[in-house]
Amino acid sequence: MSRKLIIYFVLVSLVIGLLIYVDASRPKPINWKPTYAAKDKIPFGLYVFDKEAPQLFKGDSIKKLRETPYEYFDKLYNYSTKQYRSPGTFISIDEASDIDTESAKELIYFAEHGNTVFISSKMLPKFLLDTLEVKVKGDFSLKDTLKMNLANKGTEYNYSRGAGLIYFDSIKNKKAEILGYQQHGKDKKPNFIKIPFGEGQFLLHTQPAVFSNYYLLRDGNFKYTEGLASYIPKGNIYWYSPWFVKRNFESDNSLRYILSQPALKWAMWLGLIAIIAFVLFNAKRRQRVIPEIYPLRNTTVDFAKTIGNLYYMERDHHTIIEKKIIYFLEHIRTVYLIDTYKLDDDFIEKLHLKTGKPVEDIKKTVRLIQKHRHEFTSTEADVLAINKAIENLR
């Protein structure tokens, strides 16, 4: 390796190492994205809620749905008893609910049969809002600090980052009951309501941020979240999140972890760029042209012709016939996987089915083979006859 190439590699390695060190040593910026994913430890993830859920819903069975509500609950419905085989409470916590119309219809049916549906989202499914006769409205303010409280408890809790001015603007459903409020300045609006439906109920909430890591670990805000959870009846809990569904379709790419880490990802790309640059700068041929070496000619056909001529000149017709028979039977065993130990009717039938050749041609060939196996002398006419019969079956 030349001195110039060694210097090039050292410089590239130093640059890559320096970039990795700088990227790894700088403080990682806080990700304020509201994912509401159970695996996320960022401020607006649900990692803490996921870990505390067994205590929050103590004694209840918590099932994480890895399919849409429609796909899951439709299978639980017993059409003979007209009841769900496993009643309970459906919960969904997300920035904007992605519950589709068919799933919304299934949740309405689920609540109607004596179950509870709890949804905390800034954007509730329109189909549900229309069915339940409620409307949601959002305001804008430079100061988004809110005070929230439950109707049966006077304690107020402060929320700022991540808590939007979303509230229930119109509640036409006469059965609806306001369970909680939010206050922005002097303006107080409902943000948590209960709507009885059939034999069950809907619990709708417009501030999913209260379930996030950020607020569950801040001051005493977790008490407000506990108060919300207290309205959920005891029993089975069915937790739906689009992240649970996405996990079933997670990429199998072996580079998934590397690409998910900024430092590793940049190191990989810089390495690839360095390799490409090396190839471009060293693409020039550095050695003399290697002469072309031609492969050895295949002389198998010439050899076969020579051996054939030898047998022909010796007039050893019987040996030629023996060789033809041996090669023919080997061909039958290898290609068609037919046993050639007995050349009987069963052999003829199998060969006919696998080759599609006429049965008479096969029988003629078998008769000639059996004839020459018991004779020790043959003529040139015999060679021609058995050769023609064998060729007809190929």
Side-chain angles (χ1 to χ4, degrees), residues 276-316:
I276 293 172
F278 171 76
V279 171
L280 292 176
F281 284 109
N282 290 272
K284 184 179 178 182
R285 187 185 293 273
R286 293 179 177 273
Q287 64 181 40
R288 63 183 178 81
V289 177
I290 300 174
E292 184 177 359
I293 300 176
Y294 295 98
L296 296 174
R297 190 168 64 88
N298 189 346
T299 58
T300 305
V301 175
D302 295 337
F303 175 75
K305 287 181 178 179
T306 301
I307 297 299
N309 289 331
L310 179 62
Y311 279 116
Y312 182 76
M313 291 172 65
E314 292 293 327
R315 301 295 178 181
D316 190 357

Side-chain angles (χ1 to χ4, degrees), residues 37-39 64 66 242-251:
K39 65 180 181 63
K64 295 177 180 177
R66 303 195 185 278
W243 294 99
F244 298 150
V245 179
K246 287 178 183 178
R247 190 177 297 176
N248 288 341
F249 304 99
E250 192 176 63
S251 171

Side-chain angles (χ1 to χ4, degrees), residues 55 73 86 90 119-120 126 168 307 338 361 367:
Q55 292 299 322
F73 289 117
S86 186
F90 169 87
I119 302 176
S120 181
K126 187 176 184 304
F168 292 103
I307 297 299
I338 301 176
D361 289 351
R367 283 197 302 270

Side-chain angles (χ1 to χ4, degrees), residues 30 38 56 154 193 226 251 258 297 346:
I30 298 175
L56 196 60
I193 61 174
E226 288 179 342
S251 171
I258 293 176
R297 190 168 64 88
D346 185 48

